[in-house]
Amino acid sequence: MRDSTSDQKVCVISRLAEVKGSALTGYDASATAGLAALSLMVASLTAGFRSSAALSGMLLLPLAVPVLIFGAGAMNPIDGLAALKLLAAASLFLVAVSPFATGAALR
């Protein structure tokens, strides 16, 4: 159940970016899981290193850019559905692979 404050935040953000609230909610739902799984894999890969902050930034940014680009493409009302499907597929792949990659990296 959603409260009124989250609806107000979505409304303000969508007005600032000039997109519909439904498109913004769809992007948020599909990209959040993929980015979280990606950051989990990068954090587990760099857990034992001394200078892990710089290394994690260098690993995370090139891997996160396609997710963010397809998320921005999903905002397009004309052909945004194809980008949203590709974003959802990438996010589902990252969520499925991240437990195995995390376990292998921490081993």
Side-chain angles (χ1 to χ4, degrees), residues 49-60:
F49 298 130
R50 290 183 187 164
S51 60
S52 62
L55 183 61
S56 64
M58 288 190 307
L59 284 174
L60 184 67

Side-chain angles (χ1 to χ4, degrees), residues 43-90:
S44 65
L45 284 172
T46 61
F49 298 130
R50 290 183 187 164
S51 60
S52 62
L55 183 61
S56 64
M58 288 190 307
L59 284 174
L60 184 67
L61 284 175
L63 296 173
V65 166
V67 174
L68 297 174
I69 287 174
F70 288 124
M75 299 292 179
N76 190 1
I78 297 171
D79 59 351
L81 188 59
L84 187 62
K85 287 180 182 179
L86 191 56
L87 176 65

Side-chain angles (χ1 to χ4, degrees), residues 29-41 67 87 90-92 94-95 98:
S30 60
T32 303
L35 289 175
L38 187 62
S39 62
L40 177 70
M41 287 191 294
V67 174
L87 176 65
S91 295
L92 285 174
L94 287 171
V95 168
S98 68

Side-chain angles (χ1 to χ4, degrees), residues 7-18:
D7 288 336
Q8 290 173 353
K9 289 178 188 176
V10 169
C11 184
V12 169
I13 292 172
S14 65
R15 284 185 184 166
L16 287 175
E18 295 180 1

